[in-house]
Amino acid sequence: MEAGEAARHPEGARSLGRALAGPRPQERPGYPPAPGGGSKAEARVLVINTGGTIGMVQDDKGLAPEANKLVSSLKTMPMLHDEAYAQETKLNSFHEFPENTLVLPVSKQNKRIFYTILELSPLLDSSNMTPEDWAKIAKKLEEHYEKYDGFVILHGTDTMAYTASALSFMCENLGKTVVLTGSQVPIYELQNDGRANLLGALLFAGQFVIPEVCLYFYNKLYRGNRVTKVDAASFNAFSSPNLPPLANAEVDITINWETVWRASTKKKFRVHTNMNRNVGLLRIFPGITAAVVKAFLQPPIEGIVLEAYGSGNAPNNREDLLEELKKATERKVVILNCTQCLRGSVKTVYATGQTLADVGVIPGGDMTPEAALTKLSYTLSKSKLSWEEKRQMLSENLRGEMTVVPTGAKISLRDSKFIQVIAKSLSISSKEELEAVRDALIPPLACAAAKLGDIDALRAIAEMGGNLSCGDYDGRTPLHIAASEGHLPLVEYLLTSGATVYARDRYGSTPLMNAIKFSLTAKGDVDGLYAWYLAGADLKQTGYDGRNSLQVAEATGHKEVLDFLRQKQ
């Protein structure tokens, strides 16, 4: 949209500002200037240290967490702290928590990651972790959400899968990367897995917008609510039985963007901490008595995860057992059915599985017991929902915790005639080669569609498996382009399709910054600019074309905007 045309549509700019206003990050103090005027991209990551083996030391009773030791130790490890760069840039002079802030060496992506360690008190062995501790972690994420690009949570391995699952539900409308990690051996020991796990978690949290609660361990990034601990003595301690890893970090980092979960909402990030503790896990076993089941289902219990055999089966010749389950559901106790198997899903294939459904037990699909339990705790804590609505919510895929089999026809990569033509000309036939062609073509195609305001083209790209948060050669995403051009309907479509507002182009600008500089300023929206100013926006920052808001206003001739910006300079 040209400047003259923008001036004729001030209401569109105001609407665009409102559409983007929800999850805008504040401008963040504390970045040191790059030496020699360098232009390396920078990111800030908050590391929340909850305890766990990674920071433990040996005492007379065995391994135990030691407070105020981790930061000083990490500063002596070159792979985790570039002391020369910290001294050269006078890092301690620029950060609000100088003693607890470190900086990684430059990554392959030519990025500097600064990370600050926030240590919770007391540090915990994860066996002592409770829902109150989950709430403490969630509140720290909420408190610091606008100040950092990503988050790493150091945690013990024994209950890490429970915490990862719980936080995935507690963090509502998440738009940034949250990574849990830890180790099987303390980071201070000669042979350990803590250094590699911490480094990998920092690289993912600082370099990529993967808006999920993830778990990083042994070179793999998993969806947090899909993992379970499978080995107590191996560095390869976790498995995601029913979902491939989101990413692999080996010689190169490879991300499976098709698998990444994106919240289709424009709502502001918030945390829900009032989890319902009246829940439990009950495992069916041969010979289990009705008395045991009855005792387990008594008040104050409000919901249980029933771990059944195989694909969700239980004995159908035990009327006493089934009667207790039926009585419980009639008392509005919610029963969620999961399989005892490591891999697989609950299905009503067998008569023994249908029997449970007939007495009111809800199929839990392929959820892990950890995900099922924390989802139950989260759902039952929603006091404004009816019992029927809670049951329905448990059947829905809230955070990618379960596989939902699509109904009806699904467009495949080979259905795209455009991609087929390209593939034919390149003599491509395999699925992997087709995906490589698609991934190379989608960024410029999607950005071109955003420039034109072509929603139909973007929908087609999404249907063929395209990532609408992909960046072009300058790192600019379709949302950057749509925000700069003032295409409100397109901005709304991208936001509700999970496009991230936190992606930074090579110049460090987010779509939100572009909306301020190139849409609100060009269209003379003083109210919108004032709102961003109050929210902490730096109106002096330049965009990808080297101009700041004042220069854009001078080019468009908006006197009110010029007066406002000059007043705030």
Side-chain angles (χ1 to χ4, degrees), residues 46 49 167 175 223 319 473:
L46 179 67
N49 182 14
L167 289 175
R223 178 168 297 154
E319 291 296 332
Y473 58 89

Side-chain angles (χ1 to χ4, degrees), residues 60-86:
D60 55 353
K61 295 181 180 179
L63 288 173
E66 181 174 324
N68 306 314
K69 177 179 174 65
L70 185 62
V71 172
S72 59
S73 297
L74 292 179
K75 286 183 177 180
T76 67
M77 303 177 190
M79 67 184 290
L80 290 167
H81 179 60
D82 188 341
E83 180 62 26
Y85 183 82

Side-chain angles (χ1 to χ4, degrees), residues 69-105:
K69 177 179 174 65
L70 185 62
V71 172
S72 59
S73 297
L74 292 179
K75 286 183 177 180
T76 67
M77 303 177 190
M79 67 184 290
L80 290 167
H81 179 60
D82 188 341
E83 180 62 26
Y85 183 82
Q87 293 292 336
E88 185 179 0
T89 58
K90 296 182 174 57
L91 179 62
N92 288 357
S93 303
F94 283 91
H95 204 280
E96 53 184 332
F97 304 114
E99 297 304 318
N100 294 330
T101 298
L102 299 88
V103 57
L104 292 182

Side-chain angles (χ1 to χ4, degrees), residues 282-288 293 306-323 325 335-340 346-359 361:
L282 177 61
R283 189 177 179 93
I284 296 289
F285 56 87
I288 187 171
V293 175
L306 185 69
E307 293 188 68
Y309 307 131
S311 56
N313 306 318
N316 64 352
N317 61 353
R318 291 283 307 278
E319 291 296 332
D320 56 341
L321 196 68
L322 295 171
E323 184 63 21
L325 295 174
I335 304 177
L336 189 58
N337 186 7
C338 285
T339 176
Q340 296 179 9
V346 169
K347 301 174 183 176
T348 55
V349 175
Y350 297 94
T352 49
Q354 184 59 48
T355 300
L356 290 177
D358 291 341
V359 297
V361 176

Side-chain angles (χ1 to χ4, degrees), residues 357-377:
D358 291 341
V359 297
V361 176
I362 303 167
D366 60 354
M367 281 190 287
T368 63
E370 295 94 334
L373 183 71
T374 53
K375 183 178 183 178
L376 189 62
S377 176

